[in-house]
Amino acid sequence: MGSSEFEALLDLSAEIGANPKLVQAAGGNTSLKESGILWIKASGLWLAHAREREVMVPVALDPLLEALARGNPAAEKAQDFVIAERNPSGLRPSIETTVHALMPQKVVVHVHCVETIATAALEEAERVTAERLHDIPHAYVPYIRPGLPLARAIAARLEEDTCVLVLGNHGLVVAAETVEPARALLERACARLAWPVRSAPPADKQALMRRAAGSNYVLPDEDDLHASATDPDNCRIAGGGSLYPDHVIFLGQGVTIAEPDETAHDIEAGFAVNGLTPPPLLLFPAQGVLVRKDISLGALALARCLADVTARIPADAPVRYLTDAENAELLGWDAEKYRQALNRNERAIS
């Protein structure tokens, strides 16, 4: 049993972790600074499980900040600063521990709010953010790889009163001295960044079943996933490339969009010829999506996120996608390989 603030943080973590509009799969993280310890969500674990299992890791705050100030590469993973005797499960701290450490407030909440991502993926994200959060002390941080590079970029933009960060092609950070003001600020910022949602046509499930015949793909259980394919603007936006890091980690770079007469089996065969694993998600324009039978829970959550985000990006707005180099950086990053390994153990379809 922790302090009342620690318990309140666990409650908030479980609440936002259960909301797919705020957090998907193992994404997002929360933290509390208390008595020289930074309690931070563990890498690869789900905030939604904060009341079901141990998900918080104790990190020695001052040594981590000193390492960060010295440019010590050990600050990247923060594993060297975990207080082992208070971490019996051997959990690994979040890949964004340094971001939480840098924020001066005691409570920090980082989410992948779909409203924020729809803003943060725009070429004019900084201008839109400034307009919508004009009376909230905030900073906009252009995309840079999560972890130490992101922490350094944030440090360069932090003002004494900064309490909200909008991270380009990534998400939202809010910070306060206690949990309840952090919760209120989260709700306020998300509401300010909200966009109208395009109403997508329903999936053509009969057509999708024909497309799936003889393949390792099936219809998803959630109808919401189909919106990324059934609406033409959503499909076009999704087809432009990767919009945010967790898409790359869970679904791979970009998306695979079927040709008019192409089946899932055809797509599988094409990947096999090149010695590649077929993607977890296939988009069939105007019809809907299919998912691989062995899709993980994490990938399924990000498939829904794709539908949620693309439905909120204005159809006529120029979009800023992750570059090939940024995609490759994420896929080759050791910290994300760790999350990918955990993700593979969580299958959604048996």
Side-chain angles (χ1 to χ4, degrees):
M1 189 75 174
S3 68
S4 59
E5 276 300 296
F6 184 82
E7 296 298 319
L9 182 70
L10 293 182
D11 287 339
L12 178 60
S13 299
E15 177 185 325
I16 64 177
N19 184 346
K21 298 295 192 296
L22 293 177
V23 170
Q24 306 81 33
N29 31 72
T30 59
S31 70
L32 172 67
K33 301 177 183 76
E34 197 170 65
S35 303
I37 298 175
L38 172 66
W39 290 96
I40 178 85
K41 194 213 77 169
S43 180
L45 299 189
W46 294 41
L47 282 173
H49 301 158
R51 276 302 183 188
E52 301 168 15
R53 59 165 296 177
E54 184 180 350
V55 301
M56 306 301 285
V57 186
V59 175
L61 180 58
D62 287 344
L64 174 59
L65 288 173
E66 290 170 9
L68 190 56
R70 294 195 309 270
N72 185 340
E76 170 83 76
K77 296 180 182 178
Q79 188 66 39
D80 292 350
F81 307 96
V82 172
I83 303 171
E85 61 271 22
R86 303 192 68 173
N87 184 34
S89 300
L91 300 176
R92 183 169 169 172
S94 166
I95 56 177
E96 287 157 342
T97 298
T98 48
V99 171
H100 288 251
L102 273 175
M103 299 295 286
Q105 296 90 342
K106 292 180 180 178
V107 176
V108 179
V109 177
H110 169 48
V111 295
H112 298 157
C113 161
V114 297
E115 308 288 0
T116 305
I117 296 174
T119 298
L122 300 179
E123 287 188 2
E124 293 194 343
E126 187 166 9
R127 179 188 62 78
V128 175
T129 297
E131 289 176 356
R132 301 213 179 168
L133 303 181
H134 64 91
D135 58 345
I136 300 175
H138 73 278
Y140 175 81
V141 184
Y143 178 80
I144 191 166
R145 176 174 69 74
L148 200 53
L150 176 58
R152 288 171 176 157
I154 289 172
R157 290 166 174 78
L158 275 181
E159 301 288 346
E160 187 175 346
D161 61 346
T162 303
C163 59
V164 172
L165 303 173
V166 173
L167 310 178
N169 290 94
H170 188 160
L172 178 71
V173 178
V174 302
E177 289 305 308
T178 58
V179 171
E180 285 309 310
R183 180 200 300 272
L185 186 57
L186 176 64
E187 293 174 354
R188 184 181 176 197
C190 290
R192 291 285 190 87
L193 294 169
W195 293 92
V197 181
R198 275 188 296 279
S199 179
D204 184 341
K205 294 185 179 180
Q206 292 300 317
L208 289 171
M209 290 174 67
R210 290 192 294 272
R211 299 268 198 156
S215 77
N216 288 307
Y217 286 86
V218 294
L219 281 166
D221 290 333
E222 285 191 70
D223 287 344
D224 290 346
L225 271 63
H226 295 292
S228 58
T230 59
D231 178 86
D233 288 318
N234 295 359
C235 194
R236 173 181 53 80
I237 292 167
S242 307
L243 292 163
Y244 40 91
D246 270 5
H247 176 97
V248 181
I249 300 310
F250 289 93
L251 296 175
Q253 182 171 344
V255 295
T256 298
I257 299 180
E259 296 295 331
D261 297 321
E262 197 172 29
T263 67
H265 181 269
D266 295 334
I267 294 171
E268 283 182 313
F271 275 84
V273 165
N274 294 299
L276 300 174
T277 301
L281 177 72
L282 301 178
L283 273 61
F284 295 87
Q287 294 178 348
V289 306
L290 294 174
V291 298
R292 223 167 54 205
K293 290 177 182 177
D294 63 349
I295 191 170
S296 69
L297 290 171
L300 200 62
L302 267 296
R304 175 174 178 175
C305 183
L306 180 66
D308 285 336
V309 170
T310 55
R312 286 165 169 77
I313 293 177
D316 58 350
V319 176
R320 191 271 182 195
Y321 295 97
L322 300 184
T323 66
D324 287 343
E326 289 164 348
N327 278 281
E329 187 178 40
L330 288 166
L331 292 170
W333 184 23
D334 284 345
E336 288 297 14
K337 288 179 181 178
Y338 173 78
R339 281 214 297 166
Q340 288 171 332
L342 293 178
N343 176 54
R344 284 192 290 270
N345 293 327
E346 295 180 322
R347 299 300 179 196
I349 299 172
S350 58

